[in-house]
């Protein structure tokens, strides 16, 4: 076997020898992983030694580097260079195809040139331990981070200047970063010296030590940015000139991610990501600093839900005890104690869900204030995988991909939702089939409930992959629109898939096939218990499958490294931290985690009247879920991109919908299924009671929503105060006119020939007119 060729391309950008210690990795901000284009290994050659059409390569090249087909005499030097390099590449190609390896080499060279020459990123390259990949680590200097932060109007927190940390001043304001003009453009040395003589704009922002801690002394602060800020800024720098999504989609890039920080990760593992720490509060400051606001907002919402569950859980235990320890006269038409308790419990759930919605909305606003994302203005980059040709948008003037056929995309979205409806139909048919087998006596109720639980999980698994493919095919331009469409498809499907059997048993089974001992509530309870058992069992797969995949990858790589060593290759004893992380699964979004908890919330809100211990079961499951998700993030996944967020997004609307539907469902169970008012089968009376109670509940819910302010007063005042402080300190703008004159030196002056008005009114004469 020929040895791996250590091509000079790598020596140009970094040493071959790399350190395996985590500290050597953490100084870098982002990692690209390329296939090893110099390898002679058959396993590598098979993935890159094939022919690809030259025209296809040109399309990929132009899209990846954001080259439009428009003629522009004033185009950037970078674009001119890229076009020249493409002509040089195609000059020696004979025929209509080229080897993908050669094209990949061209792309690597151009990417590295842009990273180092245009973006001024410090780059280091090295081979993976088994020589099948090339790792490219990047970092930006503090100066260049500040330049890009100014271009992005990146929000940073100002340093506190003696104000008490209480009330509306508890959170010191955030503001868009602005680099000092003098430092950016001063060519005269005297101007540059003068700029340092006064307090610069940059000096108003909070500074951090090399250990990422707030610098108590300004002289000890070395950076304005935490690691999560650096990752966001560096990735924005890269995305401004390179379409990373195109590189991934066309297998030009084997992977990309930000690096774990081992000391901070270990703290989270020890205090958050372990099952033995369930009693510990979540360290939100560290979670937010490490994973960003979007992940932190999910865990904050989940914790808030768990706290809310305490009251329904206690009330449910009380109802369960009353129901199982009270004798009930079947012939009496008076409401018994269990009936009254069940009615109160149903009303409590309906009203409590409104309180949960509204109070979470307030808490969410408070968190976004504390995290500096209240005024989050996300200028979205076009989504990875969006199809179009690069050009200049006539509306906003930005260079971006422009879709060629809007009507065709609308047609594709119609097809996408039609396929989703087809899958809903499959679910309905499947559930009907299960209940027909049960009615025929083929399977026992327990077996049918288990089959239904498995069917829910299997159909969710299949449909999720179909929905992702469909939504990608529909070609949404922005990630937010893509996620809205995907979330809607998934939730509507899982809503039907998860709750259809329960709705049937609770409201229809009695009329079509009857319930055992005429007790449909008992059958609802049995169905829910089996579903929750299946859900808990599947949590094991959520952790077990990634662990198995990681073990298999590591085993395969170790065998390959050992083989290379035996054949005389130089192989490192250990993998670097970046290599270890590259083997982990990606964690792109908390979509699936939100979906699982929201479906869980629906069971509690809509069916607890039938099974009063359901809130207690959900409480324990969610306590487990926090640790499952935390373990997954800290042990099994690459470090996710630290997305900012100021809310839980579309999930807030979905939760409110469930809350509204829960009032109707619980009322229906009380009236139609439990028949606690002993109305019998008089449909007219049943519907009268139902409409009366649900209208009362909806009025109470509307009253709660109107009377509880969306935003706490200290948050409102804090936002207003923060804007004033930022304007005064950074830009010399004050709400008070006299103070603004003082801050900015804005004073009225006398123009030449100015005549003063006499102060003594007795001096006013007609000829002064």
């Amino acid at each position: 076997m020929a040895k791996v060729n250590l091509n000079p391309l790598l020596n140009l950008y970094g040493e071959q020898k790399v350190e395996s210690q985590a500290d050597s990795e953490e100084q870098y901000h982002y990692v690209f992983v390329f296939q090893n284009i110099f390898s002679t290994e058959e396993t590598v050659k098979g993935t890159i030694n094939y022919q690809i059409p030259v025209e296809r390569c040109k399309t990929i090249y132009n899209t990846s580097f954001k080259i439009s087909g428009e003629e522009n005499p004033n185009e950037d030097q970078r674009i001119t260079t890229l076009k020249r390099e493409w002509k040089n590449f195609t000059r020696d190609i004979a025929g209509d195809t080229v080897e993908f390896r050669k094209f990949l080499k061209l792309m690597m060279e151009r990417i590295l040139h842009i990273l180092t020459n245009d973006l001024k990123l410090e780059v280091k390259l090295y081979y993976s331990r088994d020589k099948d990949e090339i790792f490219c680590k990047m970092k930006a200097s503090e100066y260049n981070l500040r330049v890009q932060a100014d271009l992005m109007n990146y929000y940073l927190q100002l340093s506190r200047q003696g104000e008490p940390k209480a009330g509306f001043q508890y959170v010191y304001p955030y503001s868009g970063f602005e680099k000092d003009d003098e430092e950016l453009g001063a060519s005269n040395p005297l101007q540059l010296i003068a700029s340092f003589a006064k307090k610069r704009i940059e000096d108003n922002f909070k500074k951090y030590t090399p250990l990422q801690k707030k610098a108590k002394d300004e002289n000890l602060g070395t950076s304005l940015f935490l690691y999560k800020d650096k990752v966001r800024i560096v990735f924005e720098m890269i995305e401004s000139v390179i379409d990373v999504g195109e590189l991934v989609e066309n297998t030009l890039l084997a992977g990309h991610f930000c690096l774990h920080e081992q000391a901070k990760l270990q703290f989270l593992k020890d205090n958050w990501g372990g099952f033995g720490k369930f009693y510990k509060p979540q360290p939100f400051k560290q979670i937010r600093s490490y994973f960003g606001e979007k992940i932190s907002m999910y865990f904050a919402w989940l914790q808030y839900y768990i706290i809310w569950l305490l009251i329904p859980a206690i009330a449910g235990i009380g109802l369960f005890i009353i129901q199982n320890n009270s004798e009930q006269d079947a012939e009496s038409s008076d409401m018994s104690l269990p009936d009254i308790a069940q009615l109160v419990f149903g009303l409590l759930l309906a009203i409590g869900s409104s309180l949960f919605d509204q109070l979470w909305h307030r808490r969410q606003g408070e968190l976004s204030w504390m995290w500096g994302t209240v005024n989050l203005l996300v200028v979205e980059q076009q989504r990875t995988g969006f199809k179009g040709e690069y050009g200049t948008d006539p509306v906003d003037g930005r260079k971006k991909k422009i879709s060629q056929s809007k009507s065709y995309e609308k047609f594709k979205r119609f097809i996408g939702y039609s396929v989703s409806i087809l899958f809903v139909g499959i679910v309905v048919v499947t559930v009907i089939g299960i209940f027909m087998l049960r009615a025929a006596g083929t399977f026992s109720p327990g077996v049918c409930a288990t089959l239904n639980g498995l069917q829910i999980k299997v159909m969710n698994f299949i449909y999720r992959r179909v929905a992702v493919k469909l939504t990608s095919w529909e070609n949404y331009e922005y990630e937010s629109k893509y996620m809205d469409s995907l979330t809607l498809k998934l939730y509507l499907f899982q809503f039907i898939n998860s709750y259809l059997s329960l709705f049937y048993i609770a409201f229809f089974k009695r009329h079509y096939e009857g319930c055992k001992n005429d007790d449909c509530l008992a059958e609802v309870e049995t169905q829910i218990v089996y579903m929750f058992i299946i859900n808990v069992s599947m949590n094991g797969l959520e952790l077990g499958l990634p662990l198995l995949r990681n073990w298999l990858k590591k085993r395969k790589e170790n065998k390959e490294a050992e083989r290379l060593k035996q054949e005389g290759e130089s192989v490192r004893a250990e993998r670097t931290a970046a290599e270890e992380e590259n083997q982990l699964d990606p964690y792109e979004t908390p979509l699936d985690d939100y979906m699982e908890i929201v479906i869980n919330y629906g069971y509690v809100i809509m069916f607890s009247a039938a099974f009063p211990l359901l809130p207690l079961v959900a409480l324990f499951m969610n306590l487990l879920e926090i640790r499952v998700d935390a373990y997954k993030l800290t042990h099994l996944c690459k470090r996710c991109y630290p997305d900012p967020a100021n809310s839980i997004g579309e999930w807030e609307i979905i939760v409110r919908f469930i809350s509204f539907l829960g009032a109707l469902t619980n009322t229906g169970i009380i009236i139609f299924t439990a028949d606690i008012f002993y109305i019998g089968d008089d449909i007219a009376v049943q519907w009268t009671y139902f409409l009366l109670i649900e209208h009362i509940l909806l009025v109470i819910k509307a009253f709660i929503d109107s009377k509880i302010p969306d935003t706490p007063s200290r948050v409102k005042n804090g936002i207003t105060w923060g804007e004033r402080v930022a304007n005064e300190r950074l830009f010399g703008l004050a709400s008070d006119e006299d103070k603004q004159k003082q801050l900015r030196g804005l004073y009225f002056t006398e123009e030449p020939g100015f005549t003063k008005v006499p102060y003594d009114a007795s001096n006013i004469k007609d000829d002064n007119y």
Side-chain angles (χ1 to χ4, degrees), residues 25-260:
E25 301 279 352
E26 289 177 2
Q27 60 181 311
Y28 290 88
H29 305 140
Y30 214 78
V31 175
F32 278 175
V33 183
F34 298 97
Q35 296 181 81
N36 184 1
I37 56 176
F38 312 118
S39 175
T40 57
E41 288 290 324
E42 292 300 325
T43 54
V44 178
K45 286 169 61 178
T47 62
I48 58 178
N49 284 11
Y50 62 89
Q51 297 294 312
I52 181 172
V54 175
E55 279 302 311
R56 174 63 182 154
C57 289
K58 183 179 181 181
T59 301
I60 296 171
Y61 185 86
N62 289 343
T63 307
S64 298
F65 295 124
K66 303 190 175 184
I67 302 172
S68 69
E70 302 170 348
E71 292 296 329
N72 182 7
N74 300 316
E75 68 185 6
D76 189 90
Q77 181 61 38
R78 174 180 57 84
I79 300 297
T80 303
T81 302
L82 286 167
K83 289 182 176 179
R84 184 177 65 247
E85 290 298 326
W86 175 255
K87 288 181 180 178
N88 294 338
F89 175 72
T90 56
R91 186 175 294 125
D92 300 326
I93 295 176
D96 297 330
T97 62
V98 64
E99 189 180 40
F100 183 73
R101 179 196 292 266
K102 293 181 179 179
F103 177 58
L104 180 55
K105 183 175 182 293
L106 169 71
M107 294 296 292
M108 273 190 66
E109 290 172 343
R110 291 300 91 210
I111 290 168
L112 293 172
H113 183 273
I114 289 171
L115 295 178
T116 54
N117 288 52
D118 295 305
L119 302 180
K120 307 301 181 186
L121 294 174
E122 184 177 332
V123 169
K124 186 171 185 178
L125 302 181
Y126 62 89
Y127 289 116
S128 62
R129 184 167 174 256
D130 58 355
K131 307 293 177 67
D132 65 338
E133 292 167 326
I134 297 172
F135 281 75
C136 171
K137 302 187 300 183
M138 299 163 261
K139 66 178 177 180
S141 67
E142 177 72 14
Y143 182 88
N144 289 337
L145 287 170
R146 295 186 184 195
V147 171
Q148 182 63 28
D150 192 339
L151 292 171
M152 295 169 60
N153 194 36
Y154 192 82
Y155 266 59
L156 294 172
Q157 192 170 25
L158 302 181
S159 57
R160 192 175 290 274
Q161 292 192 341
E163 296 88 350
K165 190 177 180 180
F168 64 83
Q169 295 176 322
Y170 179 78
V171 176
Y172 215 69
Y174 291 76
S175 181
F177 178 74
E178 182 173 319
K179 192 161 178 39
D180 291 296
D181 293 337
E182 294 90 345
E183 189 174 345
L184 278 172
S187 56
N188 187 332
L190 293 177
Q191 283 183 321
L192 193 59
I193 294 171
S195 73
F196 283 94
K198 63 177 184 177
K199 187 172 180 64
R200 304 181 305 164
I201 291 177
E202 296 176 40
D203 292 335
N204 287 286
F205 291 95
K206 186 186 291 187
K207 293 183 179 178
Y208 301 93
T209 67
L211 296 176
Q212 301 280 296
K213 294 184 178 180
K214 177 187 173 183
K216 295 182 179 179
D217 184 344
E218 281 192 6
N219 297 322
L220 298 178
T222 59
S223 178
L224 296 177
F225 309 101
L226 294 169
Y227 185 84
K228 69 178 177 65
D229 302 316
K230 294 176 182 179
V231 168
R232 290 171 182 168
I233 293 168
V234 168
F235 190 71
E236 187 74 18
M237 291 171 70
I238 297 168
E239 272 285 327
S240 66
V241 290
I242 299 173
D243 192 324
V244 177
E246 282 292 320
L247 298 180
V248 174
E249 186 175 353
N250 293 288
T251 67
L252 298 165
L253 202 59
H256 64 103
F257 51 90
C258 51
L259 286 159
H260 277 302

Side-chain angles (χ1 to χ4, degrees), residues 292-462:
E293 289 79 16
K294 179 176 281 189
I295 299 296
S296 302
M297 193 66 79
Y298 162 71
F299 282 100
W301 176 75
L302 180 51
Q303 178 172 291
Y304 208 79
Y305 174 40
I306 287 171
I307 293 171
W308 175 84
L309 274 172
L310 288 171
I311 296 176
I314 294 170
I317 293 171
L319 175 57
F320 181 79
I321 293 171
I322 291 172
Q323 287 178 335
N324 287 274
N325 291 276
S326 297
E327 294 185 1
Q328 189 167 349
D329 186 358
E331 297 181 358
S332 173
S333 60
D334 297 328
M335 289 182 66
S336 63
L337 179 59
D339 294 335
I340 295 172
Q342 188 174 22
L343 177 62
V344 171
F345 182 65
L347 297 176
L348 176 68
L349 275 172
I351 296 170
S353 63
S354 287
L355 285 170
F356 171 65
D357 298 341
Q358 198 64 19
L359 293 177
W360 164 251
H361 190 77
R362 287 168 59 85
R363 176 59 178 163
Q364 176 177 265
E366 188 174 34
L367 289 174
S368 63
W369 171 57
M370 294 169 64
W371 294 344
T373 57
V374 170
N375 297 319
L376 182 64
L377 298 174
V378 179
V379 180
E380 286 189 277
Q381 296 290 335
Q382 288 182 316
R383 186 182 66 83
T384 299
F386 174 66
K387 304 300 181 186
E389 293 184 7
Y390 267 98
T392 302
D393 191 302
V395 178
D396 60 21
R398 295 166 61 193
K399 187 191 295 183
K400 60 183 182 181
K401 284 184 276 189
I402 299 173
S403 175
Q404 301 303 306
S405 179
K406 296 290 186 183
S407 57
Y408 181 53
E409 287 180 3
K410 290 179 181 178
F411 173 73
K412 288 197 292 186
R413 289 162 195 175
F414 169 76
I415 296 296
Y417 281 101
S418 298
V419 173
S420 299
I421 293 172
L422 173 64
F423 268 82
V424 169
I426 294 172
V427 167
V428 173
V429 171
T430 304
V431 172
I432 290 173
I434 290 172
F435 277 96
M436 287 178 66
L437 290 172
R438 177 174 174 169
T442 306
F443 295 124
S444 66
V447 171
C448 286
T450 302
L451 286 175
N452 185 222
L454 290 172
Q455 165 258 317
I456 289 172
K457 286 296 182 181
V458 170
M459 289 299 295
N460 285 346
F461 177 82
I462 295 172

